[in-house]
Structures are given as structure tokens and as C-alpha cells.
Amino acid sequence: MHFYTLSLKSWCRLLGAASFLLLAFNAFATQADNQSDQGMAVYKALLPKAEAGDPEVQTTLGLMRLRGDTVPRDLRVARVWLGKAAIQQHTPAQYYLGQLLLLDVFNANPSDLDKQLTEGLGWLRRASRDQHPQSQLLYAQTLLGSQLDDPFGHSKIEAQQHLNSCAEVHLPCTRYALSRLDQGKEEEYCPSRDACDQKRRLLYTLANAEDAHARYRLSKFEGEDRMFWLRRAARLAHPQASYELADLVIRNEAPLQPEDPAVLSLLSSAAQQDVPQAMHLLGSMLVEGTRFPVNKPLGIQWLKLSAEKGFEPSRQLLMQIQTTADSKPAAEQVESAQTPENKP
């Protein structure tokens, strides 16, 4: 099979996973029966401005033809309007046209596919050089995700530069750049000191944007204030941070601050988000009446959920509870309340 066919498949797989392409996919799925006379009237009213060279209006008409929701869909006409706007340095038009060419919605002949993909990447590069964040992300994902050294003559070094620039201002770029540095490993893992510093900067950006997991990850980095980041993550209901903070408070290794949730809220939040250690701790405290009023049925339910997730301490505690119950005289045994159908 020709190499560009293989690369196209891998690119489409990358593009299909990108959230910013939902507009394009939703556009193609829209039914033509939603067209209206009003939509066509709007389209015709905008035509003079588009024909006079207004790139904003040309892009609008191109997208209307692409969606096909208010006027009949015509991908060829959409390409013409987007192309007219793109050559006038209208970056949104360059972005839409670039991704459409990469997705091959125009069904190019096999002999023309190489040229079409090259053109699509070219439009994305031009928009990226104008600091258009969506284009920078798509350009970087396409090139950096390719197994080719220089896909269709484009530089991966330049793509990385666009990604680095975009990561400072556009959170999807930040997350993608971070995932590349993680290499499948999170927390404090860094392949080099430079990569670790880069990862830390990206996490700061996400943490300042109210990203709970970024805050939790920073609590694991050497040199960071662990409790500062742990508290900030727990206040956003991060499951592991909520459990760890509650555990530290229960063991008298950290006090709660006024802004922190109560211990019961922390444990309940983590348990509801399937953290087995939190399920176990909450369940054992309810069974024993430690810190919270005794509620054996509810506590046992949490222990069972934790045990089902393979948490061995919960399984052992359940066995002890059952052994104790079996050893009591029948008159002293108390029936458990009916277990709710859903999680507590």
C-alpha cells in the first residue's frame, strides 16, 4: 500500500480524537431537511459582501455550505469560499480548510491525495504562524503523531515550536504538550531535568486554570509545597487528594483549614469517585463509630464496595465483622438495615 494512504489513516485516527473537529463531523451529519427559506435569504443577502472580498463573510458562507443546515450542502462551493478567505490570511478559514483537506471530505483521486494533504498542512502551518491556537494544536498533533520524519515536507521541529507557543495560552495545547512529556507516566516522572521543568510549567498553567488533577500532581513534585497543592486539589473534589488529606487529618498529621471540606465530606467525595482506600477508611470508621456516629449497615456497604475492587484490608475486616457476629448469641445479633440499591 502506498505510504501516504497509511499515513492518512493514522492522521484521521488522530483527528477523530480531537475535540475541536466535532464541528466538522457534526456539520457533515446535519440533515438537509432542516433548510429554510429564511436561511437561504440570509445566504443571498451575504453574497454581495462575499463577492466583494470580505473574508469574514466568505468564511461564513463556506461554513453554511459545509453544514447544510440552512442552505443546501455543497462541499465544492464551501471549499471555494473558504479558499477565497484563506488566501486573504483569514486564519479561521485557513484552519477549517486545512482540516477538511486532511480529512479528505472532497474524495480526492488517489493521484491527487498527496497534493491535497500537502495543501491542507500548508494552510494549517500558515494559520499556526499567525498564532491561531486551534491550528497550532491540529498542526502539532498531525505532525508529531506521524511516524514519518518529515511528513509531506513539514518539520516536526516547527510543529513542536507551535505547540510550545500554543501551550502557554490554549489549554487543549497545554494538555497535549503535557501528555507528550508524560510518556504514559504521571506525577514526578521526568526523563530529564529540562523535561521536568517543562512539565512543571505546564502543570502550573493548568493548576491556575482550576485543573484539580494538575494541582494534585504538583503535590508529588520534589520541591513543591505538598500540603498547599493537596489542599487546593481537594477543594476541587479531586478523589485521591480528598482521600489523602482526610487520612492526614485523621492521623493528626495535618489540621483542616477553614476553606477545606470536613473529613466526612472529603472521604465521601473520594469514596463516591471509586477510591477503594477511601471506601475502606469511611466504612471502618462508620462501623466502629470513630469520629462519626455508628452506622454499621452503611459502613459494611462501603467495605463491601472496597473489597469488590480488590482492596484486601476491606475483605479482611469484613471477615472479622462476620466472625464476631457469628460468635454472638442469637438474641444479641441485630439485623442489618436493608442495603440501598445505589451507592451510599
Side-chain angles (χ1 to χ4, degrees):
M1 185 179 292
H2 204 279
F3 84 93
Y4 62 66
T5 303
L6 288 173
S7 62
L8 175 63
K9 286 186 177 180
S10 64
W11 288 357
C12 286
R13 187 164 55 250
L14 284 170
L15 299 178
S19 61
F20 45 78
L21 286 180
L22 288 176
L23 171 62
F25 284 117
N26 288 339
F28 306 149
T30 304
Q31 297 299 315
D33 57 11
N34 290 331
Q35 298 163 13
S36 65
D37 293 338
Q38 182 179 4
M40 182 56 72
V42 171
Y43 184 87
K44 290 180 178 180
L46 292 174
L47 269 177
K49 287 187 177 181
E51 292 170 346
D54 188 319
E56 291 277 356
V57 177
Q58 289 170 341
T59 300
T60 298
L61 295 188
L63 294 178
M64 289 176 72
R65 285 296 194 183
L66 173 65
R67 295 190 181 100
D69 50 0
T70 57
V71 296
R73 177 179 299 128
D74 191 323
L75 298 181
R76 302 294 176 183
V77 174
R79 180 175 181 175
V80 170
W81 284 125
L82 290 174
K84 287 179 179 293
I87 61 176
Q88 297 187 71
Q89 303 301 320
H90 191 255
T91 52
Q94 293 172 341
Y95 166 65
Y96 289 121
L97 182 57
Q99 64 173 311
L100 293 176
L101 291 170
L102 288 182
L103 287 168
D104 190 29
V105 300
F106 305 112
N107 298 318
N109 294 325
S111 59
D112 296 330
L113 186 56
D114 193 342
K115 179 180 178 181
Q116 178 178 291
L117 296 177
T118 302
E119 181 186 352
L121 281 173
W123 287 121
L124 288 177
R125 178 168 58 186
R126 291 175 68 171
S128 296
R129 289 175 174 176
D130 283 339
Q131 304 299 308
H132 186 257
Q134 290 88 349
S135 296
Q136 290 175 313
L137 177 56
L138 181 53
Y139 187 68
Q141 284 184 313
T142 304
L143 292 185
L144 299 178
S146 171
Q147 296 181 352
L148 302 175
D149 292 333
D150 296 297
F152 294 92
H154 289 259
S155 168
K156 289 187 174 183
I157 294 176
E158 181 181 357
Q160 184 64 55
Q161 292 171 343
H162 286 305
L163 179 62
N164 293 342
S165 172
C166 177
E168 298 178 3
V169 296
H170 189 53
L171 294 183
C173 287
T174 312
R175 294 189 177 93
Y176 179 61
L178 182 60
S179 70
R180 288 186 56 80
L181 287 173
D182 283 339
Q183 299 179 10
K185 299 179 181 178
E186 289 194 357
E187 315 320 340
E188 72 279 6
Y189 170 77
C190 300
S192 67
R193 185 65 189 176
D194 181 59
C196 199
D197 290 340
Q198 292 179 45
K199 184 181 291 192
R200 195 189 303 263
R201 287 195 296 271
L202 294 170
L203 287 171
Y204 285 154
T205 300
L206 293 171
N208 289 331
E210 304 274 304
D211 188 308
H213 191 55
R215 294 179 178 185
Y216 175 72
R217 290 183 62 181
L218 282 169
S219 74
K220 303 300 180 182
F221 266 72
E222 181 180 355
E224 293 292 333
D225 186 334
R226 181 194 177 197
M227 290 305 303
F228 172 79
W229 289 117
L230 195 65
R231 290 183 190 280
R232 295 192 73 193
R235 289 167 191 165
L236 293 178
H238 185 276
Q240 194 63 31
S242 297
Y243 161 69
E244 291 182 16
L245 179 57
D247 186 54
L248 289 170
V249 172
I250 290 169
R251 291 190 282 113
N252 295 317
E253 294 183 18
L256 285 176
Q257 293 182 349
E259 314 93 273
D260 295 331
V263 172
L264 179 58
S265 296
L266 289 168
L267 285 178
S268 296
S269 175
Q272 290 282 3
Q273 296 180 77
D274 294 334
V275 178
Q277 297 95 326
M279 294 175 176
H280 173 81
L281 184 54
L282 179 58
S284 61
M285 295 180 76
L286 289 169
V287 168
E288 298 166 2
T290 307
R291 271 188 177 259
F292 316 131
V294 175
N295 190 333
K296 288 186 177 181
L298 183 59
I300 289 173
Q301 184 179 357
W302 279 120
L303 291 173
K304 287 181 177 179
L305 288 170
S306 177
E308 289 172 1
K309 291 186 172 296
F311 195 62
E312 183 62 19
S314 293
R315 190 187 68 82
Q316 294 179 0
L317 182 54
L318 285 170
M319 291 177 61
Q320 294 176 12
I321 293 172
Q322 185 61 47
T323 300
T324 301
D326 291 343
S327 64
K328 288 182 179 181
E332 295 182 13
Q333 295 186 22
V334 179
E335 292 186 5
S336 297
Q338 184 177 356
T339 303
E341 293 183 3
N342 299 319
K343 283 186 182 179

